[in-house]
Amino acid sequence: MSTAMTLLQTAGAAAAAVPVGQVLRTATGLALLGGVAMFFRPLLVGIGRAAVLTVRPRLPKTHLAKRS
């Protein structure tokens, strides 16, 4: 029983050391960042595809026809 009480007291002390305001601010920031990323997801995917095509362009149809 004393081991369980010690663990509970230690966990309570560790939880009390975390500032609640900073946790709320971080959670709010992450939620806003996730919401913005979900809202602009099509735009971000398009930018990513354009970046990939810039680095590794597609082969023209004539080259693809010669391959097969």
Side-chain angles (χ1 to χ4, degrees):
M1 185 70 172
S2 65
T3 305
M5 293 299 286
T6 303
L7 286 174
L8 287 174
Q9 288 175 354
T10 305
V18 178
V20 176
Q22 186 174 359
V23 171
L24 288 175
R25 190 177 323 128
T26 303
T28 304
L30 287 174
L32 285 173
L33 183 66
V36 168
M38 285 177 58
F39 186 77
F40 290 110
R41 183 177 177 200
L43 176 65
L44 296 173
V45 168
I47 291 171
R49 287 182 180 174
V52 168
L53 285 174
T54 303
V55 175
R56 188 175 39 128
R58 292 184 187 169
L59 293 174
K61 288 183 180 180
T62 56
H63 288 277
L64 293 175
K66 288 179 184 178
R67 279 184 152 180
S68 60

